[in-house]
Amino acid sequence: MMLYAIVGEDVKDGLPLRRQARPAHLARLEALREEGRLILAGPFPSIDCEDPGEAGFSGSLIVAEFESLEAARVWADADPYVAAGVYSCVTVRPFRKVFP
């Protein structure tokens, strides 16, 4: 098992799509967490603020453990945010945690 960083970049004005697909997206992350494979996950606010409100988000970062790069890509491609059109693109890369 290895860590992989999954970075999704939101479409412009995608906040309504994100809100609609969020429960299913979070359920998948919760399943990874319960399996002990989720290191961190969260969105990138569109503005320099913890809660950007209607400004929304510009994307998301997930760092999790998968069997392979291909397995991480398959998991990322099945994300509800992909199906809902929230992400304009998704990048999956091997990640090596150094700190903490």
Side-chain angles (χ1 to χ4, degrees):
M1 293 280 248
M2 184 165 167
L3 295 179
Y4 295 89
I6 300 169
V7 178
E9 296 182 34
D10 284 22
V11 297
K12 184 175 171 43
D13 300 321
L15 186 59
L17 299 171
R18 180 181 271 272
R19 285 179 173 150
Q20 182 178 6
R22 189 169 189 258
H25 172 77
L26 293 180
R28 292 182 82 234
L29 292 172
E30 182 62 30
L32 278 182
R33 189 189 67 77
E34 288 174 2
E35 294 169 8
R37 296 171 42 206
L38 182 63
I39 303 304
L40 65 90
F44 299 115
S46 290
I47 58 174
D48 189 13
C49 180
E50 176 89 12
D51 180 2
E54 291 305 309
F57 301 92
S58 62
S60 301
L61 169 65
I62 299 165
V63 177
E65 193 173 48
F66 292 93
E67 291 285 334
S68 65
L69 178 58
E70 181 60 26
R73 284 184 175 144
V74 167
W75 187 91
D77 287 346
D79 193 292
Y81 280 178
V82 172
V86 174
Y87 293 149
S88 61
C89 72
V90 177
T91 304
V92 182
R93 298 170 41 181
F95 180 79
R96 184 174 154 210
K97 182 179 174 185
V98 176
F99 293 106

